[in-house]
Amino acid sequence: MLNAGQPGEKDGPTFDQEIQQYCDSAKSLHKDLPLIGFKTTLRTPILIKDIYVPLDAVIDFRATGDAYFADAEDAHECLERSGEGREISVPEAFKVCGRMGRQGIVILGDPGSGKTTHLRRLMLWCIGGGAKELGLPEDIIPVFLPLRELRDLDHGLDAFIQDQLVKPHLKTREGFGKRLMENRRLLFLLDGLDEVAEPEERAQVSRWIDEALKYDSDNWFVVTSRFAGYTPEARLSEQFLEMHIRPLNTQQAETFIRNWYRSVEVALREDEDQAKAIADQKTTDLIQRLQKPEFRSRRVYSMTRNPLLLTNLCLVHRDRATLPDNRARLYDECIDVLLELWHEAIGLKSPVTAQEGRRVLQPAALWLHGEEERTKATAQELAPIMTPALKAAGWNYGTGAAEDFLRVVRDQSGLLTGWSGEQYGFIHLGFQEYLAASEVHRISFEEDDPGPLRDLVGQFGKAWWQEVILVLLALPRPSIFIRFMRELVKIPEFIDHPSLVDMCLDEAAARSPKPFVELLDREPGSDEGLWRRQLLALRLLERIDEEALESRFESLKKHPFEEIRKWVEQQMAQTDQDVIYSERGGYELVMIPGGSFMMGSDEYDDEKPVHEVRLSGFY
């Protein structure tokens, strides 16, 4: 056995020099955050130390109970019910372990929640001399081990560690791994237990890690995994402190945005003071944008709770100097990230392309959404829905079966997550809604089948379907606005939810007066329901095509419905009175038409409930 300072070979570097070389190489390798995001022009390294935000986690202190959770919220709710969860900052974990006599931590989190970034930050802390501050031995040496690279399970964990330590990018000499393991106290950072794809192999790796902790009393272990991959069979022993990463809170999200912008702008500009000023301005703009009602009350705001999705929001905001009001486009680009670009950023080829993923997951999303509040299902339930799409997409990875597809997307992309090991669902409800809307759009145009569109129109006014409808109308190329509105104006719900109709006009990728003109041109007969729909059509036509409206004034003056006649008379009388002058003060007053809008939010107690506010026209 070699002692510290003893040469590894004649006239070669000392062991301490080898360690220093290793630390320098590891720091260089892990100091940058991989750029995972939109198809953007931004190409600059982002230093982890500059962008890192200390995460919060809940520690599972239960002595017994279920150990398999769907996601962070599921875990949090379970531990809250039991009263056995304690929230701490993740960097405090080693100190808690020390007090409990443990030297292992397993960090569970949702896809994109920051698990890998945290491991890299731990590595940089230890290399930079901060181990003691974390509650670790001062002389500990960190070793980062991406478990997705584990290929040979025949030779055990030691062989994998040694293979990783002699990788060319670490610039170490042959045998360094063995010498390091025999002579130094180590912090093993095992990233991605869930990325050991086969359940049997994952369980075997878990046993290796348990045994290593049991017999290597000087070493520490940190293992990360997504909830979906941390099954009862692969669960680590009671010697590991189990932590569940919490979603970012508002303050953490704002700090993340500020750190991200400062890191990017300083890297791109020579004048550091100017870069910081620009970064602060853009940070303020994005934060204020996210605080606007249209984001606070919609799905997009909840995306700020996830570091990966928040990074995407930062990227698109910087590229466009704003966030698009069209959420459909935002979801579309996020799916590109989760299915393809994430893999590209870590040097892997995705087994599911974004195009294949959308084609297969769209019918699954629409089927899931068909039952209110349903966000998960078993592979057996989803297989009949997905199999035709799998064949159409020509996906032939593994057996080509739906079960394989679901498992691959869940375990390797993060777009899907898992419940109780058997069920699947989307990481974010917005993705289910977007893909469901995309499937209705595809069937309507590719298959020329009006059935799903009519079914969706029949759900108008129901909260569960509202986002699907709004996203559908926002989808471009081609716009479905005319087809949707032609169906909507036929049913009573058209007049029962005027504020939602207004939202449809606001969200639509393209608007057309045709459905409303066609409704107005129908013979009124004696159907008062038709008359009321025609009255609303008049008001909508006023918003989008005044010329088409005014050309029908003469014929509508004879309409059998008194409210329509009065409305037309008022409009004709106001044609020359859109601007008046007040007798008192002589001010010019402009006519603001009456209407309705939605106020409030379901996400904040002081803004509940969401309710409709109506205002009359005023000058």
Side-chain angles (χ1 to χ4, degrees), residues 30-41:
H30 294 286
K31 63 184 175 63
D32 297 334
L33 183 72
L35 182 61
I36 305 170
F38 289 77
K39 295 172 182 177
T40 169
T41 57

Side-chain angles (χ1 to χ4, degrees), residues 213-335:
L213 177 61
K214 181 178 179 181
Y215 293 110
D216 294 341
S217 58
D218 288 337
N219 297 331
W220 287 70
F221 294 77
V222 182
V223 183
T224 68
S225 176
R226 283 177 291 172
F227 286 97
Y230 198 62
T231 60
E233 296 76 22
R235 191 186 185 196
L236 293 162
S237 73
E238 68 281 356
Q239 292 302 312
F240 281 82
L241 183 69
E242 185 174 306
M243 304 178 63
H244 309 149
I245 291 183
R246 296 288 300 137
L248 297 174
N249 59 35
T250 299
Q251 183 178 352
Q252 288 170 327
E254 292 182 0
T255 300
F256 183 97
I257 294 170
R258 185 172 293 105
N259 291 351
W260 188 92
Y261 257 120
R262 283 209 170 190
S263 179
V264 169
E265 298 300 334
V266 168
L268 291 175
R269 301 175 190 277
E270 293 183 1
D271 188 328
E272 185 173 339
D273 291 336
Q274 180 190 58
K276 289 180 178 179
I278 291 172
D280 290 345
Q281 178 184 359
K282 292 180 177 179
T283 296
T284 300
D285 181 77
L286 177 54
I287 290 173
Q288 290 178 347
R289 178 76 170 158
L290 290 169
Q291 289 174 342
K292 288 188 175 182
E294 60 264 33
F295 287 106
R296 285 169 65 87
S297 60
R298 292 177 182 169
R299 300 275 183 259
V300 172
Y301 189 74
S302 63
M303 293 169 67
T304 64
R305 300 311 193 219
N306 181 287
L308 172 64
L309 299 181
L310 182 55
T311 298
N312 293 341
L313 294 178
C314 291
L315 281 161
V316 75
H317 178 263
R318 188 182 188 280
D319 267 6
R320 302 178 186 175
T322 186
L323 285 182
D325 290 330
N326 188 331
R327 298 185 305 291
R329 191 168 181 180
L330 201 57
Y331 289 132
D332 187 59
E333 296 194 34
C334 284
I335 287 173

